[in-house]
């Protein structure tokens, strides 16, 4: 009897790689998002047909975090700063604005994956805790 191995989805890894490739080539990374997915926090006034395209250029976003579970950042929309949270299951594609090159994902890849609520607050609180260990510097010969 063989046990079936379950692998983590490839979407977050591929999204990070394509984002890096787009930025390395001085192109503008655009993220296509399914705004109807649970826990997706995007400016609803810009959603069309259940989807939104977001500019992820380094100069357009602040505190971009691309984890295996989500993409989060803050950006200005109509001059107002907004915190954005996108579960990886809501990411439909990432591509370069200038030439359309990138990757588009199969929405069904996450059909059987449970999506957790926004954990960015918990992650931020953990990062804000001061370290108990004092930093040290040693000179090696």
């Amino acid at each position: 009897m063989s046990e079936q191995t379950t692998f983590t989805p490839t979407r977050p890894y591929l999204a990070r790689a394509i984002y890096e490739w787009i930025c390395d080539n001085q192109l503008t990374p655009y993220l296509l998002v399914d705004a109807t997915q649970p826990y997706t926090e995007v400016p609803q006034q810009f959603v069309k047909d259940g989807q939104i395209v977001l500019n992820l250029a380094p100069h357009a976003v602040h505190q971009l975090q691309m984890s295996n579970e989500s993409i989060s950042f803050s950006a200005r929309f109509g001059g107002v700063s907004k915190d954005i949270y996108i579960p990886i299951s809501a990411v439909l594609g990432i591509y370069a604005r200038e030439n359309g090159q990138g990757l588009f994902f199969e929405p069904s890849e996450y059909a059987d994956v449970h999506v957790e609520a926004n954990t960015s607050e918990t992650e931020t609180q953990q990062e804000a805790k001061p370290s108990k260990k004092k930093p040290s510097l040693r000179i090696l010969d």
Side-chain angles (χ1 to χ4, degrees), residues 68-100:
N68 288 352
E69 292 77 34
S70 66
I71 297 175
S72 62
F73 58 92
S74 63
R76 293 196 168 282
F77 296 88
V80 178
S81 182
K82 173 121 175 88
D83 290 331
I84 305 299
Y85 180 84
I86 303 151
I88 286 294
S89 60
V91 174
L92 298 176
I94 184 165
Y95 61 96
R97 179 192 71 192
E98 292 81 359
N99 61 15

Side-chain angles (χ1 to χ4, degrees), residues 36-42 85-87 114-118:
T36 66
Q37 288 290 314
Y39 310 112
T40 303
E41 297 175 21
V42 295
Y85 180 84
I86 303 151
H114 176 69
V115 178
E116 294 291 323
N118 184 344

Side-chain angles (χ1 to χ4, degrees), residues 83-138:
D83 290 331
I84 305 299
Y85 180 84
I86 303 151
I88 286 294
S89 60
V91 174
L92 298 176
I94 184 165
Y95 61 96
R97 179 192 71 192
E98 292 81 359
N99 61 15
Q101 288 188 339
L103 282 178
F104 293 88
F105 303 106
E106 184 63 42
S108 63
E109 180 184 14
Y110 277 81
D112 298 327
V113 178
H114 176 69
V115 178
E116 294 291 323
N118 184 344
T119 58
S120 60
E121 290 180 18
T122 306
E123 292 169 2
T124 305
Q125 289 171 353
Q126 288 174 348
E127 290 172 9
K129 288 182 183 177
S131 175
K132 303 238 185 232
K133 188 177 177 183
K134 285 187 175 182
S136 64
L137 179 63
R138 290 186 356 199

